Amino acid sequence: MEAALERPKGLTGTILSWDRALQPAGVTRAPLWKFCLWMLFWGAVALWGVYAAALCWIYGLNQTNMNDYYGFAIWIWADLAVIALGGGAFFTGFLKYVLGHDKPLKYIVNYAVLIGFICYSSALLILAIDIGQPLRGWFIFWNANVHSMLTEVAFCLTCYFIVLSIEYAPNILENRVLSKVPFLKRLAHNFHSIMALFAATGVFLSFFHQGSLGGVAGVLFGRPFAYREGVFIWPWTFFLFTWSAAAYGPCFTMLLSKIIELVTGKTLIPAKTYDFLAKVAGWMMGTYMVAKIADTLYWAYGTLPASGFTLSDFYVKGPFYGYWILALEIVAGGIIPAAILLSPKARAKGWLLVPALVLAVVGVCVNRWAMVVEMNAIPVLNFDTWALYSPSWQEVATTILPVAYGVLLISLSHRYLPLFPLETGEGADH
């Protein structure tokens, strides 16, 4: 009787009832008013980015500070970075569905797919803004330049986004309300039964588009900073980009899992899952760093001298393009986190694991930044000078847009979808 008297009536009561009905059974969520304030803030940030994107689409790329030195800049860096960080989706799916590591990864695979979905949809959004004329985006597919690796990237990105949408669909269909519809419930079950096929397809597509993004930089013989020799028709950067995405992508997924656990105050992923995925990421990162260091040494003492350059030609003293960039990427963003993740005792300690994940994410972002922004800053002619780049506010706003969009989608998915088996009771064996 008292509970009935205290229950809100009218429109407010209806909204609260619907909100509670949409949430997974047996879970607790923040009060609706707190959730709405959170969404309102990030929604405002997203609208700021949408406004900036609209300016770029209406008035063109003169809204940016791109110039003859920088035909692409902060947008392409953000695009390459989110694609690398989204690699946790294809690699986690590969470990679970193809290699059969189902038991430890079932607690995080749904979240990994969500992160991948956000990253790849963000990448496509950035490209839609970057081309300046989105209404002609279909030219990529209809009038494809078959001699360009970027054509293959566009095809693979689009196809893999479709795969991620299919992988994310069962999470939506398992919503507490939608799952009551027999057809949708059976559809979600059927999706799960063939998910291994989509996971394998995603691995195939990811290998080629991750590699081709690196290959684009590697074949730029007019840009000695990025140019690499290679194996057959592929420069080494083809394999290094794929390798780094498989190594660093799971670190980003684990880092976001830790953040959402901190925000919600709940344990959503068991320790055994973190330990397994951190160990695999550590081995991938460790072997990648061996290959990356070997590549850097061969480039510095083989490729560059043969082209008439020295290593010092590509790094200057100062706060912008010094040797500290190389140290940040390889030492702070590679060797140190790899050492922590490879040590069972170190990765079992949260105060070491989280900083290692942060350093790893920074490391791969610095790598992509160097291959985009720093590459364009370096003079390639004797009479040229170093070119610094300062993005316009429109570029900053549209780069922050994917962050706000990601927070909004993660918040909605966590509140209304059964993302974490441990929380919804499916992880009772733990």
Side-chain angles (χ1 to χ4, degrees):
M1 179 67 71
E2 292 179 1
L5 292 174
E6 294 175 0
R7 186 180 300 128
K9 297 180 180 180
L11 180 60
T12 303
T14 302
I15 293 175
L16 290 174
S17 297
W18 271 103
D19 177 68
R20 188 67 191 92
L22 288 169
Q23 297 173 18
V27 302
T28 57
R29 294 290 183 258
L32 183 59
W33 67 269
K34 286 186 177 180
F35 179 71
C36 289
L37 286 177
W38 171 265
M39 298 295 285
L40 185 63
F41 171 78
W42 288 105
V45 176
L47 286 176
W48 180 50
V50 170
Y51 172 68
L55 291 177
C56 295
W57 283 334
I58 294 171
Y59 298 107
L61 295 182
N62 62 1
Q63 299 294 299
T64 74
N65 287 341
M66 288 189 285
N67 49 44
D68 290 341
Y69 284 97
Y70 289 90
F72 51 85
I74 190 172
W75 280 339
I76 299 302
W77 164 72
D79 192 70
L80 265 62
V82 297
I83 289 174
L85 297 174
F90 87 84
F91 193 64
T92 303
F94 173 71
L95 292 173
K96 182 180 187 295
Y97 294 107
V98 179
L99 297 186
H101 295 287
D102 177 75
K103 194 170 183 179
L105 294 178
K106 70 178 182 178
Y107 300 99
I108 200 172
V109 68
N110 292 339
Y111 194 58
V113 168
L114 171 61
I115 300 304
F117 178 86
I118 291 171
C119 288
Y120 276 82
S121 55
S122 297
L124 292 175
L125 172 63
I126 292 170
L127 290 177
I129 301 171
D130 185 63
I131 61 176
Q133 295 181 317
L135 294 179
R136 297 188 178 185
W138 59 275
F139 279 31
I140 298 173
F141 306 97
W142 190 255
N143 300 309
N145 179 3
V146 296
H147 301 289
S148 171
M149 281 187 284
L150 290 178
T151 298
E152 183 267 334
V153 169
F155 272 81
C156 283
L157 275 178
T158 305
C159 292
Y160 186 47
F161 174 69
I162 295 173
V163 169
L164 284 170
S165 301
I166 294 172
E167 291 182 328
Y168 182 53
N171 294 321
I172 299 176
L173 298 177
E174 288 173 350
N175 171 266
R176 189 177 176 183
V177 173
L178 295 179
S179 62
K180 294 179 181 179
V181 180
F183 170 76
L184 297 180
K185 186 175 182 178
R186 289 194 296 270
L187 183 61
H189 174 76
N190 290 334
F191 270 133
H192 282 301
S193 63
I194 57 174
M195 200 54 68
L197 174 63
F198 292 111
T201 304
V203 172
F204 175 80
L205 293 171
S206 294
F207 176 83
F208 281 99
H209 76 249
Q210 295 279 3
S212 291
L213 286 172
V216 168
V219 298
L220 295 178
F221 55 85
R223 293 286 181 178
F225 180 82
Y227 175 72
R228 295 295 191 276
E229 299 176 53
V231 180
F232 298 109
I233 62 172
W234 296 289
W236 296 326
T237 46
F238 182 99
F239 304 99
L240 290 175
F241 266 52
T242 303
W243 205 336
S244 60
Y248 291 95
C251 295
F252 185 61
T253 302
M254 288 187 287
L255 178 61
L256 293 186
S257 300
K258 288 290 186 181
I259 291 175
I260 199 172
E261 287 182 338
L262 178 64
V263 172
T264 60
K266 298 179 181 179
T267 299
L268 302 174
I269 308 295
K272 65 179 182 181
T273 299
Y274 281 122
D275 183 73
F276 174 80
L277 199 55
K279 179 175 67 174
V280 174
W283 277 107
M284 292 295 295
M285 199 184 308
T287 52
Y288 165 73
M289 289 314 303
V290 172
K292 175 63 180 177
I293 292 171
D295 163 72
T296 303
L297 291 175
Y298 185 86
W299 167 74
Y301 297 104
T303 306
L304 289 184
S307 303
F309 295 94
T310 64
L311 185 62
S312 60
D313 293 330
F314 297 92
Y315 295 94
V316 296
K317 294 180 180 180
F320 295 106
Y321 300 113
Y323 284 106
W324 64 268
I325 298 175
L326 200 59
L328 180 60
E329 176 192 351
I330 294 179
V331 180
I335 295 175
I336 293 176
I340 294 174
L341 296 183
L342 286 173
S343 170
K345 292 183 179 179
R347 65 173 179 262
K349 299 176 182 178
W351 63 274
L352 278 177
L353 176 61
V354 173
L357 298 177
V358 172
L359 287 175
V361 170
V362 170
V364 73
C365 289
V366 170
N367 173 261
R368 298 319 193 245
W369 182 85
M371 284 297 186
V372 174
V373 181
E374 185 179 3
M375 177 189 71
N376 284 314
I378 299 171
V380 294
L381 299 173
N382 292 334
F383 55 83
D384 235 340
T385 59
W386 284 78
L388 299 180
Y389 187 75
S390 176
S392 67
W393 74 264
Q394 292 91 330
E395 292 175 80
V396 174
T398 48
T399 302
I400 294 176
L401 172 59
V403 178
Y405 153 71
V407 173
L408 291 172
L409 190 53
I410 289 174
S411 300
L412 287 170
S413 299
H414 173 258
R415 189 172 184 85
Y416 298 117
L417 302 181
L419 284 182
F420 301 99
L422 189 63
E423 182 189 33
T424 57
E426 298 175 34
D429 61 312
H430 171 69

